[in-house]
Amino acid sequence: MSFRKLSAFFVALCLSLFLAVNASAFSILQGWGIDLSVYGGDTYSNLLKGTVTGVSILNQTVTGGLLQNNDPFVESTVLQEITFTSLDDMTYPDGRLYFHAVNLSGYVTNVDNNNSSDPSDWDFNYVFTGADSITLYYSATSMSVNPDHFNPEGLTVVSTFSLLSGSGVAPENFIGGGENYTGSTSMTVKFETTDSDVWTTPSNVDFADLIETPGYPVLFFSITNTINDENVSSTEDGFTARIDHDGGFQTALVPEPSTILLLGAGLLGLGILGRRKMMSK
């Protein structure tokens, strides 16, 4: 076999292997499960996603009365009233699970303040940079909670998470007029700890066994945020606001390094093949 044919075969093999691995490595898990029986709860399997509602309390710094790029914020969040949806579109409400994020911090970016001190003229995006803690709790009884006075005493820790990435778009014409304004947040969190035999992949692999592996499990959140300016008040250096949330989450495993190596090998082969082709002309 000639070098050119061998190279072409190598490139095709690497790229085809990458595409095959990539399809599974990057795809959101479908058919995962969560078993809450150890806490006295139910067991859910063959799941596609979970939906949530919740509330955040936001404290936003505003520089000199005009929102500026990099102005920091911090918020605490509780997501509750979780409903699991299966692949066959069955829904399973579970009112005893609570995601609690303490001091989610970040900054605003792409700010257009229109040179106005009126928040209703402001448009901006935001980026999350960290959190003191992100925890999933289980309660023996359903309860209604708010993030500004959430007390985890008596609750059972199911899983803890760290923030990998998070960003969003603030509501257009952010505050003003007494109406509800809607924005959106996307966030990825990594499992740091979880009880064994609770979260499982579609092939029944325990998330607890994957946390320390290169293909560790994550949750993807996609949340809609609603602010009513009746729930906004000025502070000495900015404002505080109550944000209502409605959205969902899905599970995934991050790509393993071998996946990236396959792509790199394929691209390297393409480069060698192209160089030899040019030299032969």
Side-chain angles (χ1 to χ4, degrees), residues 261-276:
L261 290 175
L262 280 172
L263 175 61
L267 293 177
L268 178 62
L270 283 176
I272 294 173
L273 205 59
R275 180 177 176 83
R276 286 183 60 86

Side-chain angles (χ1 to χ4, degrees), residues 22-59:
N22 187 50
S24 61
F26 281 88
S27 63
I28 291 173
L29 295 179
Q30 298 188 12
W32 52 277
I34 184 167
D35 184 352
L36 303 173
S37 60
V38 66
Y39 315 114
D42 296 319
T43 300
Y44 310 103
S45 59
N46 198 35
L47 298 178
L48 174 64
K49 63 181 179 179
T51 58
V52 294
T53 63
V55 177
S56 288
I57 303 300
L58 166 72
N59 289 283

Side-chain angles (χ1 to χ4, degrees), residues 183-206:
S184 61
T185 296
S186 297
M187 182 176 292
T188 304
V189 298
K190 174 185 180 294
F191 282 82
E192 291 295 337
T193 65
T194 189
D195 285 343
S196 298
D197 302 318
V198 175
W199 300 85
T200 53
T201 70
S203 56
N204 208 34
V205 177
D206 192 342

Side-chain angles (χ1 to χ4, degrees), residues 3-128:
F3 178 81
R4 180 175 297 177
K5 289 182 179 180
L6 185 62
S7 298
F9 173 77
F10 172 73
V11 170
L13 177 63
C14 286
L15 290 179
S16 62
L17 284 173
F18 168 76
L19 291 174
V21 175
N22 187 50
S24 61
F26 281 88
S27 63
I28 291 173
L29 295 179
Q30 298 188 12
W32 52 277
I34 184 167
D35 184 352
L36 303 173
S37 60
V38 66
Y39 315 114
D42 296 319
T43 300
Y44 310 103
S45 59
N46 198 35
L47 298 178
L48 174 64
K49 63 181 179 179
T51 58
V52 294
T53 63
V55 177
S56 288
I57 303 300
L58 166 72
N59 289 283
Q60 174 69 59
T61 298
V62 178
T63 302
L66 289 175
L67 192 67
Q68 307 286 340
N69 283 329
N70 300 317
D71 276 353
F73 66 83
V74 63
E75 66 180 71
S76 290
T77 302
V78 173
L79 299 177
Q80 55 191 354
E81 297 181 16
I82 296 174
T83 296
F84 297 105
T85 301
S86 67
L87 289 176
D88 52 5
D89 209 29
M90 299 292 290
T91 56
Y92 307 100
D94 194 305
R96 292 169 291 183
L97 287 171
Y98 303 86
F99 286 101
H100 184 215
V102 178
N103 292 335
L104 279 167
S105 57
Y107 59 90
V108 297
T109 184
N110 297 326
V111 173
D112 182 1
N113 58 34
N114 290 297
N115 201 31
S116 170
S117 59
D118 183 354
S120 66
D121 293 329
W122 299 345
D123 295 315
F124 58 93
N125 299 342
Y126 52 91
V127 176
F128 291 98

